[in-house]
Amino acid sequence: MKKILLAYNPVSGSATFRKNLDEIIEKFQRQNILLTLYRTRAGNFFDDFIDCIKISEVESVIAAGGDGTLHTIINYLMKAEINLPVGIIGSGTSNDFATYLKLDTEKTIAAVAENKIRPVDLGIVNDKDYFINVASAGVLTSIAHEVDAGKKNSLGKLAYYIQGIGEIPKFKSVPLKISADSRIFELDAFLFLVLNSSAVAGLKKISDKIKIDDGKLDFLALKKCSPRSLINLTQKILSGKCIDDDENILYIQAKNFEIESAEKLISDLDGEIGDFLPLKIKNLPRVLNFFVYE
């Protein structure tokens, strides 16, 4: 019988996961999988979580929550140098990485049962903080942290868009200097994204070129542009079209980035608050085994 740690966030999304917990335990048991449950909490629970893994002697970890929950679990495992396969049951307001892998609860359970794993890249920022999906900064970066928790739980992703609409009159470009594998780029931009997958902010496909196991990260910056260009680009994104070749986008693939700005900008890592710029971002190729069902 396989022994798995299921680390679940009881307040992710609309907090429905905990209501379905007994049913999910039963589904794992049908596949001859024994679950150890760990309930995540606000704040730093690193020591407690790592102790739970060591004491329970589990073979892998499943994160049940949104992108922020997955981000925390991966950072704890990497910083403790614990090399276990990781899976996700997306139950948060935003489940971008699960969306990219086309995972739902049934597929994750099947992947664990059949040991279907895939090595994936991670990004690391300033040699200390990891991200699996996206590092970003600029206008709109703070929106996810400003949305009222009650609105986020009741409205889901719509809450982010409502908040974003209110921020449009405040759009302000910032000067960026980017070193990408020693190539230098300078521009004024509204925001930038450093991506490991092509699903971000609830959008399923920013680019067809992005892969999670190619040893590279993908940089996209939204250049300073007119309101009309911004509206046209927004319509393009919402219609599901790739934007990496748009004239208002700077797109770069590289293994390493250094990003700085004359403005004071704070970064966002998988929806969690990161460091202020400047940032040194590196790709760590295929360092994490992830449960997938392909």
Side-chain angles (χ1 to χ4, degrees):
M1 178 173 281
K2 294 184 178 181
K3 295 173 65 177
I4 308 295
L5 181 69
L6 177 63
Y8 71 96
N9 185 336
V11 297
S12 281
S14 55
T16 56
F17 178 84
R18 60 185 178 184
K19 299 175 185 177
N20 301 324
L21 187 54
D22 182 69
E23 179 184 347
I24 290 169
I25 292 171
E26 193 268 338
K27 288 180 179 179
F28 274 101
Q29 285 183 184
R30 267 195 247 143
Q31 297 295 330
N32 204 32
I33 299 169
L34 176 65
L35 292 182
T36 295
L37 300 180
Y38 184 89
R39 186 181 189 273
T40 69
R41 60 178 185 270
N44 189 324
F45 53 91
F46 174 83
D47 291 335
D48 188 44
F49 177 73
I50 297 303
D51 284 347
C52 181
I53 289 177
K54 292 178 178 178
I55 292 169
S56 59
E57 298 181 333
V58 293
E59 303 168 37
S60 54
V61 177
I62 304 297
D67 294 317
T69 301
L70 181 61
H71 171 86
T72 299
I73 297 304
I74 287 173
N75 269 268
Y76 286 177
L77 291 172
M78 294 296 295
K79 290 174 182 180
E81 298 182 349
I82 293 177
N83 185 17
L84 293 177
V86 176
I88 184 169
I89 295 175
S91 59
T93 303
S94 181
N95 306 295
D96 288 328
F97 201 68
T99 297
Y100 175 80
L101 293 176
K102 300 178 181 178
L103 286 173
D104 56 23
T105 301
E106 303 293 340
K107 287 182 178 179
T108 294
I109 294 172
V112 173
E114 299 174 32
N115 200 37
K116 290 181 177 289
I117 57 175
R118 175 180 176 182
V120 302
D121 300 343
L122 288 179
I124 186 169
V125 179
N126 295 339
D127 292 320
K128 62 184 181 69
D129 295 317
Y130 301 86
F131 66 92
I132 193 165
N133 204 57
V134 59
S136 64
V139 68
L140 302 183
T141 297
S142 62
I143 285 178
H145 308 293
E146 295 173 356
V147 173
D148 177 79
K151 289 181 181 177
K152 188 163 67 170
N153 286 340
S154 61
L155 298 176
K157 293 176 185 174
L158 180 60
Y160 295 127
Y161 297 127
I162 291 173
Q163 186 82 12
I165 290 170
E167 293 293 316
I168 286 176
K170 303 176 186 177
F171 272 23
K172 177 186 175 185
S173 64
V174 295
L176 293 177
K177 182 178 179 180
I178 305 104
S179 173
D181 292 344
S182 300
R183 294 171 292 160
I184 304 298
F185 303 83
E186 295 189 56
L187 74 158
D188 286 340
F190 289 126
L191 60 87
F192 72 81
L193 308 167
V194 180
L195 296 166
N196 191 36
S197 93
S198 60
V200 62
L203 304 170
K204 294 182 179 181
K205 188 172 66 174
I206 294 293
S207 168
D208 283 329
K209 301 171 186 175
I210 301 174
K211 300 183 185 303
I212 59 173
D213 57 1
D214 61 357
K216 297 178 182 178
L217 295 168
D218 297 72
F219 176 96
L220 285 86
L222 172 55
K223 301 174 186 177
K224 182 180 180 181
C225 59
S226 68
R228 179 180 293 276
S229 295
L230 187 58
I231 290 170
N232 290 340
L233 182 62
T234 301
Q235 290 174 338
K236 191 174 180 179
I237 292 171
L238 293 177
S239 67
K241 296 179 180 178
C242 296
I243 60 168
D244 49 37
D245 60 349
D246 190 278
E247 64 180 2
N248 296 300
I249 296 293
L250 171 64
Y251 174 73
I252 312 164
Q253 278 190 326
K255 295 178 180 178
N256 303 296
F257 292 92
E258 293 186 21
I259 306 167
E260 56 186 284
S261 176
E263 298 281 342
K264 187 176 182 180
L265 291 179
I266 194 167
S267 63
D268 178 289
L269 309 179
D270 295 330
E272 302 296 309
I273 295 174
D275 288 343
F276 283 95
L277 271 61
L279 305 178
K280 291 185 178 181
I281 304 177
K282 301 176 184 177
N283 176 277
L284 301 177
R286 301 166 71 90
V287 295
L288 180 70
N289 286 320
F290 210 90
F291 286 110
V292 298
Y293 199 85
E294 297 175 326

